[in-house]
């Protein structure tokens, strides 16, 4: 088994180092190989997703990814921007199904700005379609106005596009996931305005016929954004398109205490996966040693469970994370009165120590 380790930029390198430390202590039989990606790869090789990095990712059984991007690359041509690396990996590996579980750990209920009764016991699974929609639709581009009325004015356009097969396969992923949970799926779209969303809803209704044991409801995305903070526990499995899922999952992260707590798994049809925290490279805190590594560590646990057939090891990581939170250690993003503030490295060390202690005491 081989894991491609792609730390990327900003806090990516800091948090992935902690996840690797945790994987190392499990003493499992796999090989890890690292490569540059994003801005780091652009600096070294002139491209955010060099052929060698893509090849490593394709050949690996799983990819552990940090984050890419920095404001300093904002003026680069789009194909050279660091974010194209993660989009390119998703597309090239066919990672169409993105799982973003928003779980509020008991120990973090008080850290949230939401009322405890709203989030205690929260366990939502956001399933985001990841290789279609406006992030990939063609044509896209910019036009210089030529009519002379607005000399130099520019028009820019992107294309929101979904095909029936793309929606069918993500629908099945959501219904299958719901079967293992509460048997409820909420499909989120904007069908009152968008053609793509009308197709999305039609296809969801069609696929629902294959799953008579699962209840399907539909919600418009603006309402869903509101309901997520009003009554989050009413949701169980949420299935939505690429852009809406991007936005709603960052919102849902705050129900768990912080964006630093939301892991993710992006899978293709052969269960090969890329595992990354839901957040970005956080240039504002990069290099300070304060980023929360738990979303990445929990993503590594998802990797063990989904792609590497190591469910027991995944349980050990998740249980260690709970122990560490119970012991009162917190990075700044989840800190609250009465808990102990620690940095990225100390948090990773604490998870390693919790795993080691459990191994020794059984
Ligand atoms: N998958 C990826 O590689 C992603 C890359 N990005 C890129 O990341 C860069 C920064 O984007 P932003 O919009 O600032 O989003 P971001 O998610 O990087 O940061 C948003 C806010 O959350 C905080 N934050 C994020 N992760 C944290 C952690 N683990 N611990 C503590 N605080 C954390 C940051 O400090 C910041 O205040 C951009 O270049 C963006 O394109 C953004 C999202 C995903
Ligand atoms: C480059 C972006 C689409 C990454 C992002 O925000 C995400 O996947 O959550
Ligand atoms: Mg995002």
């Amino acid at each position: 088994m081989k894991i491609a380790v792609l730390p990327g930029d900003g806090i990516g390198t800091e948090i992935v180092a902690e996840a690797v430390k945790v994987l190392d202590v499990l003493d499992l039989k796999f090989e890890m190989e690292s490569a540059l990606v994003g801005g780091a790869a652009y600096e070294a090789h002139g491209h955010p997703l060099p052929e060698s990095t893509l090849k490593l990712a394709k050949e690996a059984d799983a990819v552990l990814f940090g984050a890419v991007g920095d404001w300093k690359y904002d003026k680069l041509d789009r194909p050279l921007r660091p974010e194209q690396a993660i989009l390119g990996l998703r597309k090239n590996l066919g990672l169409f199904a993105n799982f973003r579980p928003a779980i509020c750990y008991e120990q973090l209920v008080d850290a949230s700005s939401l009322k405890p009764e709203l989030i205690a016991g929260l366990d939502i699974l956001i399933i985001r379609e990841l290789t279609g929609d406006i992030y990939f639709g063609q044509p896209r581009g910019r036009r210089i106005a030529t009519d002379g009325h607005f000399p130099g004015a520019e028009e820019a356009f992107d294309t929101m596009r979904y095909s029936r097969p793309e929606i069918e396969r993500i629908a099945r992923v959501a219904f299958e996931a719901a079967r293992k949970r509460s048997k409820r799926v909420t499909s989120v779209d904007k069908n009152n305005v968008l053609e793509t969303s009308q197709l999305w809803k039609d296809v969801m209704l069609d696929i629902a016929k294959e799953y008579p044991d699962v209840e399907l409801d539909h919600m418009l995305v603006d309402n869903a954004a509101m309901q997520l903070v009003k009554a989050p526990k009413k949701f169980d499995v949420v299935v939505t398109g690429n852009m809406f899922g991007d936005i709603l999952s960052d919102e849902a992260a705050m129900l768990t205490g912080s964006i630093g707590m939301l892991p993710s798994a992006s899978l293709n049809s052969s269960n090969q996966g890329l595992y990354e925290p839901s957040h970005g490279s956080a240039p504002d805190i990069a290099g300070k040693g304060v980023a929360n590594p738990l979303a990445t560590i929990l993503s590594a646990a998802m990797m063990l469970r989904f792609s590497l057939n190591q469910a027991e090891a995944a349980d050990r990581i998740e249980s260690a994370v709970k122990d560490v939170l119970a012991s009162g250690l917190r990075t700044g993003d989840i800190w609250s009165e009465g808990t102990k503030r620690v940095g990225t490295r100390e948090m990773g060390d604490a998870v390693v120590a919790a795993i080691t202690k459990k191994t020794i005491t059984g």
Side-chain angles (χ1 to χ4, degrees), residues 108 111-112 254 257-261 285 288-294 325 328-337 339-347:
L108 294 184
S112 171
M254 285 318 294
S258 163
I259 186 82
M261 293 302 299
I285 56 167
K288 296 184 179 161
V290 298
N292 186 347
L294 293 181
L325 292 173
L329 299 191
R330 303 281 188 273
T331 43
D333 57 318
I334 49 175
W335 181 86
S336 62
E337 208 62 50
T339 62
K340 183 175 179 227
R341 191 188 294 261
V342 294
T344 311
R345 207 172 300 156
E346 290 140 293
M347 187 55 107

Side-chain angles (χ1 to χ4, degrees), residues 114-122 228-233 255:
L114 275 98
K115 287 191 201 133
E117 61 270 28
L118 286 182
I119 48 167
L122 181 89
L228 259 180
V229 285
K230 182 178 177 223
K233 283 193 271 185
L255 307 170

Side-chain angles (χ1 to χ4, degrees), residues 100 128 246 250 278:
R100 294 192 164 185
R128 165 185 173 195
D246 189 3
D250 263 34
S278 297

Side-chain angles (χ1 to χ4, degrees), residues 99-105 119 121-127 181 228 232-233 235-236 238 248-258 261-264 278 302:
F99 292 72
R100 294 192 164 185
I103 296 169
C104 183
Y105 286 98
I119 48 167
L122 181 89
D123 182 353
I124 301 175
L125 177 59
I126 297 184
I127 297 184
R181 297 169 56 101
L228 259 180
K233 283 193 271 185
F235 293 97
D236 186 51
V238 174
L248 291 179
S249 56
D250 263 34
E251 186 188 355
M254 285 318 294
L255 307 170
T256 74
S258 163
M261 293 302 299
L262 203 83
S264 86
S278 297
M302 293 180 87

